[in-house]
Amino acid sequence: MDHTVTVPEVRSAKGERPLVMITAYDAPTARWGESAGADILLVGDSLAMVVLGHDSTLSVTLDEMLHHARAVMRASRRCLVVGDLPFGSYQTSVEQAVESGVRFLREAGVHAVKLEGLWPERVEALVRSGIPVMGHLGLTPQSVHSFGGYRVQGREVEDARALVAAARELEAAGCFSIVLEGVPAEVGEAVTAEVRIPTIGIGAGVGCDGQVLVVHDLLGLSQPPRPRFVAPYARLGDAAVTAISRWADDVRGRRVPTGEQSYHFKPRAAAAWRRRLIREA
Ligand code: KIV
């Protein structure tokens, strides 16, 4: 157990310092998050869209999530790592939720799981089994069809009240933190004030206890259009296309690999090789 960010530490960060969570899907993205000093790496089901090319998060399977979570764990040393339970891996029954959580901890080695929506009995059963749970409320992408698209949630007073009540229920069920996605900043602030566990916002305003972003959005690696709350801090996708185009030009112009980039005979072998070629000419 050399990971220094723990579930109790995340809990006690509330009111003390803002939490930083970033998604990671493989060893390089995990290393980037670790080196940048993030507190939490989320192996998010956004993997389906930004890595696997699906048009929603609904298609990714638990086995695919585990494959990527294992890669993240190989590269992570300090961060708390949370595995996102994908669509279809916890909705069927409490037992299914616990089985999926157990697989995440046992087969991938993550420290906690996240699930979307108000499922207090699943949360209780997972926590009872020793599996820490992060909740996720608001614009929960696995419910995209119920919402009729990726629409901001909680814009009416009644919906906002329901979100506050749901957050309280998740806290009572044992969640150690809650992601709030795509809700008015006022709702982010209200939920944060109403629960004693940290809220981690994405499109939920600056009043949450922490923030999370999809790493591909932050780095300019995902396809536009990007949501309003994403200001790319880099344009790595553009930089990648420029680099590959420059290399392709050099290949077509036979400028690469250069002599220095090539392997060569040892000196005596080079001389012998030249003598042989001369004799055979
Ligand atoms: O899957 C994901 O990346 C997420 C974050 C957006 C919170 O759930």
Side-chain angles (χ1 to χ4, degrees):
M1 271 281 293
D2 53 357
H3 285 252
T4 54
V5 182
T6 62
V7 166
E9 192 181 318
V10 167
R11 265 179 181 278
S12 58
K14 186 163 179 108
E16 294 295 322
R17 63 181 181 90
L19 287 162
V20 176
M21 179 160 93
I22 187 78
T23 63
Y25 311 105
D26 52 20
T29 48
R31 265 184 232 117
W32 297 340
E34 286 268 340
S35 303
D39 298 298
I40 308 172
L41 299 178
L42 170 66
V43 188
D45 64 355
S46 48
L47 162 74
M49 298 172 81
V50 297
V51 176
L52 302 181
H54 294 292
D55 59 7
S56 79
T57 59
L58 301 175
S59 316
V60 71
T61 65
L62 181 58
D63 283 331
E64 288 169 330
M65 292 296 299
L66 292 173
H67 174 74
H68 285 266
R70 282 192 287 268
V72 168
M73 288 310 296
R74 273 178 223 124
S76 114
R77 298 281 170 274
R78 183 189 48 79
C79 292
L80 184 83
V81 182
V82 179
D84 213 359
L85 289 172
F87 181 65
S89 73
Y90 58 96
Q91 285 88 350
T92 305
S93 64
V94 170
E95 290 72 25
Q96 187 206 25
V98 174
E99 268 167 34
S100 300
V102 166
R103 287 195 67 195
F104 244 130
L105 265 67
R106 193 166 56 194
E107 295 179 34
V110 303
H111 311 114
V113 297
K114 173 169 87 58
L115 54 77
E116 294 186 8
L118 185 56
W119 301 92
E121 66 301 340
R122 267 99 170 136
V123 173
E124 274 168 20
L126 282 158
V127 172
R128 224 180 302 120
S129 310
I131 302 172
V133 184
M134 178 179 278
H136 187 164
L137 294 172
L139 197 185
T140 43
Q142 291 176 19
S143 302
V144 58
H145 296 308
S146 309
F147 296 149
Y150 295 101
R151 295 178 199 289
V152 174
Q153 300 295 299
R155 289 190 118 151
E156 300 293 341
V157 171
E158 275 321 297
D159 301 334
R161 281 211 182 109
L163 274 172
V164 172
R168 281 208 200 105
E169 262 196 81
L170 286 184
E171 177 184 20
C175 281
F176 71 93
S177 63
I178 301 176
V179 169
L180 290 177
E181 178 165 0
V183 299
E186 296 83 352
V187 176
E189 224 173 283
V191 173
T192 303
E194 287 297 323
V195 294
R196 283 160 301 162
I197 52 174
T199 58
I200 303 181
I202 173 162
V206 77
C208 296
D209 295 306
Q211 299 289 330
V212 54
L213 278 184
V214 168
V215 66
H216 284 56
D217 290 341
L218 187 148
L219 297 179
L221 282 167
S222 54
Q223 296 297 314
R226 298 188 189 98
R228 160 190 317 205
F229 53 81
V230 175
Y233 279 66
R235 303 202 177 278
L236 298 194
D238 293 345
V241 173
T242 303
I244 295 169
S245 304
R246 284 180 44 213
W247 173 74
D249 279 350
D250 284 343
V251 169
R252 293 187 184 111
R254 295 198 179 281
R255 290 183 291 277
V256 289
T258 62
E260 275 179 15
Q261 290 164 341
S262 305
Y263 298 107
H264 299 285
F265 275 130
K266 288 185 175 166
R268 282 177 57 189
W273 184 253
R274 271 197 305 275
R275 280 197 301 277
R276 213 192 89 204
L277 289 180
I278 290 164
R279 265 202 314 277
E280 282 171 5

